[in-house]
Amino acid sequence: MVGVSASNLRIEPLGEQHDREAFSCGVEALDRYFKGFAAQDVRRRVAATFVLVIGDGEVAGYYTLSSTGIPFQDLPQSITRKLPKYKYMPAILLGRLAVSLKYRGRKFGDYLLVDALKRSLRQSREVGAMAVVVDAKDDLARSFYSHYQFIPLPQIPRRLFLPMETLERSFT
Ligand SMILES: CC(C)(COP(=O)(O)OP(=O)(O)OC[C@H]1O[C@@H](n2cnc3c(N)ncnc32)[C@H](O)[C@@H]1OP(=O)(O)O)[C@@H](O)C(=O)NCCC(=O)NCCS
């Protein structure tokens, strides 16, 4: 196995050079998406996919980002009282995030998530987005995002968000 250090990790846009077939994170839906649909979603601009590459090119994880809207009434009042009353609030959807089973528990999830959040913050300076949103697939995913201070939407407990304001404070 390749020795893992920050110097041989990199995150890059999904391309033809990446071996998607060999990837397995243990969650069938996330593996199936990565192997079968991620590349076509990129081509159709439905989602941008970024992969965590290790050493000479092994894919150790991935995440996807897309534009989305959060219905105004789904947000907690503590947030909406500072916002204009538009029907939808612009946001960035972190649709999927997964780490290869082989590399679990080695901070790769953290590396991917921080990269996704920083990228989202940069994007929000060019095209407005007031939060990053995730849909946790199960309780483990939910607890992972809660660990990073994502806030559940009151009406939709599997959907969590992190205000861009919080990211601005954390990363600048
Ligand atoms: C969730 C997942 C991405 C975590 O990746 P990982 O590389 O094993 O996690 P890391 O080693 O980077 O952990 C980073 C931090 O998150 C914590 N963490 C990891 N998984 C967690 C979970 N399920 N619940 C709570 N905290 C979790 C770790 O303890 C660590 O905390 P620390 O920095 O305070 O020590 C990975 O388990 C995975 O791919 N799961 C299957 C797919 C999935 O559920 N994706 C998320 C929803 S789409």
Side-chain angles (χ1 to χ4, degrees):
M1 184 162 69
V2 184
V4 178
S5 71
S7 63
N8 65 15
L9 291 179
R10 59 195 185 281
I11 291 181
E12 49 195 40
L14 176 67
E16 281 178 6
Q17 74 279 21
H18 299 119
D19 179 6
R20 283 173 283 136
E21 275 310 309
F23 182 80
S24 173
C25 74
V27 176
E28 214 232 318
L30 293 172
D31 289 347
R32 202 174 47 234
Y33 175 81
F34 189 57
K35 290 171 196 188
F37 301 100
Q40 79 181 32
D41 274 6
V42 170
R43 278 196 304 278
R44 292 169 180 168
R45 297 179 194 259
V46 171
T49 299
F50 295 88
V51 293
L52 173 61
V53 175
I54 194 164
D56 60 3
E58 182 182 359
V59 173
Y62 79 92
Y63 68 78
T64 67
L65 296 178
S66 308
S67 301
T68 192
I70 311 175
F72 187 85
Q73 73 272 10
D74 287 354
L75 286 160
Q77 253 186 9
S78 55
I79 300 285
T80 54
R81 68 184 158 75
K82 294 181 264 173
L83 293 171
K85 283 193 178 51
Y86 299 151
K87 202 168 175 191
Y88 291 95
M89 283 294 126
I92 295 176
L93 175 69
L94 174 55
R96 296 173 173 86
L97 185 151
V99 170
S100 163
L101 273 176
K102 190 173 156 187
Y103 293 111
R104 285 281 180 84
R106 300 169 75 159
K107 305 283 182 197
F108 285 13
D110 177 85
Y111 196 80
L112 279 164
L113 182 61
V114 168
D115 190 81
L117 295 177
K118 285 185 172 170
R119 195 181 300 277
S120 300
L121 178 61
R122 285 197 302 274
Q123 293 302 317
S124 75
R125 295 186 185 122
E126 301 281 334
V127 179
M130 51 72 67
V132 174
V133 187
V134 294
D135 285 318
K137 309 271 175 281
D138 53 31
D139 288 345
L140 278 177
R142 191 173 192 277
S143 83
F144 175 69
Y145 290 122
S146 299
H147 183 73
Y148 286 90
Q149 319 307 322
F150 275 76
I151 305 163
L153 286 176
Q155 313 300 329
I156 317 164
R158 287 224 178 276
R159 179 157 261 216
L160 297 91
F161 76 102
L162 200 51
M164 218 51 91
E165 218 178 16
T166 309
L167 295 177
E168 188 83 64
R169 277 199 304 275
S170 307
F171 293 136
T172 48

